[in-house]
Amino acid sequence: MNVNYDFSIITSVLLSILLFYNLIWPRLPIPRTKSFLVLMIMEVITLAFDILSNWAVVNAESCPDYLIQLTCVIYFTAFIVRSYAFFGYTALLFELVGRGRNEWARKTSRAALAFFLGLTVTSPFTGLVFSFDRAEGYHKGPLHPAIYFWMAVLIALGFLLIIFRGGSFRQFERNSLLSAYAILITGTSIRFLSPRHIAMNSFFMLSTVILFLTFENVDLLLEQRTQTFNYQAFEMVIREYLNSSSSFWMCAVLPRHYQEAREIYGGEQMDHALGLIARYLKKSFPKMPLFYERSGCFLLLCRTEPDRVRVRRLLQERFEKAWLTMDTKVYLSLVYAETARDLKVDSLETFVEGVRRLLDLAGSSARQDYFFLDQEMVDSIRHEFSVRRALNAALSENRVQVYLQPIVDAVSGKTVAAEALARIEDPVIGLVMPGEFIPIAERNGSISQLGEQMFSKVCHLIRDHDLDGQKLQFINVNLSPIQCMDRKLPLFFDEIREKAGVPADRIHLEITEEALGDEELLKSQMEELIRRGFSFVLDDYGSGYANLFRMEEYPFSGIKLDMKIVWNYFQKPTPVLPSTVKTFSSMKIAITAEGVENKEMMESLCGMGCTYLQGFYFSKPVPAETFFENLDAS
Ligand code: C2E
Ligand code: MG
Ligand code: MG
């Protein structure tokens, strides 16, 4: 049989280049990378033995029998394993393979692999896949097509996986995967149509090049200055550690006052120093993968916990000496951070956030040179993520609840108003308080949506209840400083109010002192809302920097004394609180004292001249319906 080797020559060259780079470049210590190396080695073996076995068969007269049989067995074995390796790599990309995951699939595929390998290895005796003897020459056995069937099934499985579960990949990654598999399908078809061309190897090689460029190009994972892995690579390794549920240790090594040092020594010297630090770390801790994060910060990882004290001492000693750059001695002092022993982390997201916070702390440290990521920090981040999830769900399902807390007239002692306070009742983590979700909502921009929901629900409550009948004058709604900066807010609130048919004077808007930032914008927003009939109350007066002079500039109709200054007064009375109340009274500004917790406080604040009182002494915030029921009952 005449065989055309044209494809094989170019394929071998390309494969060798690819393999060479893969061997000399740093490799991430994750199964995916190892699996890719196995795939390439299998391709090289398949290609080599495809050529060798063909050559041996063609030149049978000068080749001993056992050599012909052996090259054929190795070729078929490598052929079978290569398809398996290709599919295995794809499965790892999908993270379908990991400790304890898809165990049945792994067992089934291994059993099938063993079966096909068994067929091949025994073929010299059974002739099932191929047979060779001097009289008849080389012959395909009756089960020869089964080897191709195996390959076709694996390719089809990989292809289906991408079609149905490829949504988590980025578009170009998915396209790359699809094209890699399309090439294999084309190759398989050609192999059937034209068996004389050794083309399958070229198709496998092409697909592998596509995978390499998309997923294994280590250049994308290297930080150029230090030639260490970058943060993306760090996340990949952590994901792998978490997938295989193995515990691990991490330490961060960073120079104190990195930016200042950069200014003193200059960028070039500092980059050189970073290169030296990287080299030192690689040399001193060769078993630990090294990553460069940012601002001079290196991260070391280790699956088994090293001798912590020794590692830290070694680094401290080295950082006491200078880093000799081109012509300068660069002195840097060390800030060191590490993870706690047996840290339990449930997700990559939590850990990455923990590391970010740890490095922010370490990076801004003026004196402290040791930081620690402990379980408490990780748990609080995890809780914060649950709160974030609860917040997003409540917002999208319009489930933010309005609780009302009575505001009592100081003279009559009757409830004359209420403050609306947001609550989230989450099916998973239960009742969440605003102290937890408001800061998150302010950070991720969803505070406006939350404010709208609260405002609109309060409008509906006013619409659905007879406020006059219950002797309620108004309901206070809290506005976040960020919400105040939205120029469309006045129009938007007015529209909601009008739709509900609620007079604007029924709603008082509370803003905190911190909102007094962009003064001009805030003033114009307030004036616009006041023109539409709303009133403004300054919340938490005394907790920040607002003073009487600034107060005069703003059109507030009332202030709420922050509960801390109220409580401080009752712990240690000074004339400040009574004189503040007196001054506001003389300015005809209504004063609400918050945090009234007992009778003594009530009487004293009433005597001082406060207009309204609010606090647990009267009632805690309760669900809106309960509030109205209580009013009815009283
Ligand atoms: P705030 O507006 O100053 O609300 C008063 C807070 O003090 C409420 O806490 C209330 O439950 C609590 N409080 C009232 N009386 C007493 C008392 O006698 N003793 C004690 N220990 N606490 C008392 P809450 O409901 O946890 O709200 C905390 C803060 O969250 C609010 O402070 C407000 O700034 C913010 N917030 C609540 N709801 C919203 C909202 O819908 N939008 C915005 N932007 N912020 C909100
Ligand atoms: Mg308030
Ligand atoms: Mg307040």
Side-chain angles (χ1 to χ4, degrees), residues 79-279:
F79 186 93
I80 291 165
V81 177
R82 177 178 65 180
S83 311
Y84 186 75
F86 202 95
F87 179 75
Y89 178 77
T90 314
L92 279 171
L93 281 180
F94 280 85
E95 288 177 16
L96 292 176
V97 186
R99 197 173 294 170
R101 252 171 302 139
N102 296 304
E103 208 48 53
W104 63 271
R106 195 209 303 247
K107 279 188 183 146
T108 316
S109 62
R110 287 221 171 134
L113 175 71
F115 170 75
F116 286 105
L117 289 179
L119 277 187
T120 306
V121 175
T122 53
S123 242
F125 315 104
T126 60
L128 285 173
V129 176
F130 71 91
S131 62
F132 178 82
D133 60 57
R134 294 272 155 205
E136 302 274 327
Y138 173 86
H139 277 285
K140 290 175 182 167
L143 289 185
H144 183 270
I147 304 294
Y148 285 89
F149 172 74
W150 159 257
M151 178 176 79
V153 166
L154 287 175
I155 292 174
L157 277 177
F159 194 69
L160 290 175
L161 207 58
I162 303 159
I163 300 282
F164 292 109
R165 300 218 14 210
S168 53
F169 287 100
R170 283 177 284 177
Q171 185 71 28
F172 89 94
E173 290 175 336
R174 192 162 182 258
N175 289 346
S176 289
L177 271 173
L178 280 174
S179 41
Y181 270 86
I183 287 171
L184 288 188
I185 292 168
T186 315
T188 318
S189 318
I190 290 180
R191 175 84 195 202
F192 278 117
L193 297 173
S194 172
R196 284 152 66 92
H197 288 90
I198 308 183
M200 201 61 226
N201 301 321
S202 309
F203 286 96
F204 260 101
M205 184 272 297
L206 274 178
S207 302
T208 310
V209 168
I210 290 176
L211 294 184
F212 173 80
L213 292 176
T214 316
F215 300 103
E216 296 298 325
N217 184 359
V218 82
D219 228 18
L220 300 175
L221 300 176
L222 280 183
E223 205 275 335
Q224 292 310 322
R225 277 177 307 179
T226 56
Q227 284 299 300
T228 51
F229 289 116
N230 60 20
Y231 200 68
Q232 192 189 341
F234 174 76
E235 289 191 10
M236 283 164 77
V237 177
I238 297 292
R239 184 179 292 131
E240 156 53 24
Y241 285 177
L242 295 175
N243 276 347
S244 57
S245 350
S246 64
S247 62
F248 60 90
W249 168 90
M250 182 209 81
C251 83
V253 175
L254 54 158
R256 189 194 300 286
H257 303 314
Y258 175 74
Q259 288 308 338
E260 284 88 333
R262 230 183 142 75
E263 272 164 34
I264 294 168
Y265 291 109
E268 215 178 327
Q269 306 275 12
M270 271 305 273
D271 286 348
H272 199 188
L274 288 182
L276 294 176
I277 298 175
R279 216 182 307 159

Side-chain angles (χ1 to χ4, degrees), residues 15-29:
L15 256 182
S16 313
I17 295 172
L18 210 59
L19 187 60
F20 174 72
Y21 276 118
N22 221 274
L23 286 174
I24 61 160
W25 276 351
R27 252 170 298 131
L28 268 191

Side-chain angles (χ1 to χ4, degrees), residues 380-445:
S380 90
I381 292 169
R382 188 185 305 143
H383 180 69
E384 211 179 294
F385 283 156
S386 322
V387 171
R388 195 162 72 186
R389 188 203 39 75
L391 169 71
N392 291 342
L395 285 175
S396 65
E397 292 158 22
N398 196 20
R399 272 200 291 106
V400 176
Q401 291 190 20
V402 179
Y403 272 48
L404 291 175
Q405 186 179 28
I407 294 175
V408 171
D409 183 284
V411 179
S412 70
K414 294 255 156 50
T415 299
V416 289
E419 176 175 6
L421 294 156
R423 298 284 185 273
I424 289 174
E425 239 168 86
D426 185 68
V428 183
I429 54 170
L431 187 69
V432 194
M433 300 297 279
E436 291 193 285
F437 62 77
I438 298 279
I440 297 177
E442 286 183 335
R443 273 203 304 272
N444 74 9

Side-chain angles (χ1 to χ4, degrees), residues 249-253 281 285 288-291 298-302:
W249 168 90
M250 182 209 81
C251 83
V253 175
L281 290 171
F285 310 102
M288 301 182 195
L290 177 67
F291 305 85
F298 291 93
L299 300 167
L300 280 167
L301 279 177
C302 195

Side-chain angles (χ1 to χ4, degrees), residues 459-475:
C459 285
H460 293 150
L461 281 172
I462 299 176
R463 180 195 64 191
D464 298 340
H465 292 88
D466 175 15
L467 256 58
D468 285 331
Q470 290 179 309
K471 307 256 177 341
L472 283 184
Q473 296 164 10
F474 53 84
I475 293 186

Side-chain angles (χ1 to χ4, degrees), residues 419 510 539-540 560-563 594:
E419 176 175 6
E510 291 190 11
D539 202 356
D540 301 344
K560 295 182 85 176
L561 300 171
D562 188 62
M563 50 189 144
E594 284 190 336

